[in-house]
Amino acid sequence: MRRTAQILGLILMMSAPSMAQTLNSKMMEKKITNPWKWQDSRSYVQAVEVKNVESTLYVSGQTAINDEGISSDEDMKTQLTKAIANLEKVITKAGFRCDGIVRLNIYTTATSELWPHFGILQDWIAKHNIKQALTMLEVKSLFETLKVELEATVVK
């Protein structure tokens, strides 16, 4: 009888961590806060609260740099398209999904050049059903010949 109790105790000790993990593992939840409606047409939200996160990915600024590490000297539209592709590549390669983006920072050397092509970014955001807080900053310069950089925080 004592031996049986010891074996049962050992089984419970070994299974307790996985049972606790199962009990504690909840689905990730996102809560969007938008006190106004005007931001909806600009493809972002005012705040994103995330609960029960399995993991967080902090993505360095992605730009129009090719696979050989050469910076683009092309126009803003081309650079924005390549920066988006590079951002998506890093996110998926890390095992995350684009719809997990909760924060997106945009750095550009010329907002006046970026605005005519902002629809490209908005279409990509809509395609992936991304609901992210967003900041856009015009900066004096970026690395070498680059005009736009996208930095993201992604959760799953």
Side-chain angles (χ1 to χ4, degrees):
M1 182 76 157
R2 184 174 180 184
R3 180 83 173 144
T4 304
Q6 287 176 333
I7 292 172
L8 285 174
L10 184 60
I11 290 170
L12 283 173
M13 282 179 26
M14 291 172 55
S15 63
S18 63
M19 286 174 54
Q21 184 179 11
T22 302
L23 292 174
N24 291 331
S25 64
K26 298 177 184 175
M27 295 291 291
M28 180 186 67
E29 299 173 43
K30 283 192 217 175
K31 178 185 170 193
I32 306 302
T33 300
N34 276 334
W36 311 281
K37 292 288 180 199
W38 56 260
Q39 71 281 322
D40 297 351
S41 66
R42 296 178 181 165
S43 301
Y44 74 97
V45 299
Q46 296 297 332
V48 181
E49 177 184 1
V50 186
K51 294 180 182 178
N52 305 318
V53 173
E54 176 186 323
S55 191
T56 304
L57 180 68
Y58 300 93
V59 183
S60 293
Q62 297 301 304
T63 60
I65 292 181
N66 70 18
D67 292 347
E68 288 75 41
I70 299 170
S71 298
S72 173
D73 60 359
E74 297 182 85
D75 65 4
M76 181 67 79
K77 179 180 179 182
T78 305
Q79 287 200 23
L80 177 60
T81 302
K82 180 64 173 169
I84 291 169
N86 285 345
L87 178 62
E88 187 167 344
K89 184 175 187 174
V90 170
I91 290 169
T92 56
K93 187 78 172 172
F96 286 71
R97 295 172 21 152
C98 292
D99 65 355
I101 295 173
V102 294
R103 179 90 181 140
L104 182 63
N105 295 329
I106 303 170
Y107 304 95
T108 182
T109 56
T111 52
S112 61
E113 284 183 52
L114 180 60
W115 280 125
H117 310 294
F118 202 70
I120 294 168
L121 183 63
Q122 288 181 300
D123 290 346
W124 180 77
I125 288 169
K127 172 185 165 187
H128 292 286
N129 195 31
I130 301 168
K131 303 289 185 208
Q132 82 295 342
L134 183 131
T135 298
M136 182 165 60
L137 296 170
E138 184 171 297
V139 296
K140 183 176 179 180
S141 66
L142 291 169
F143 185 69
E144 298 180 335
T145 56
L146 298 170
K147 299 176 181 227
V148 64
E149 187 167 329
L150 306 173
E151 176 187 73
T153 304
V154 191
V155 296
K156 66 175 172 181

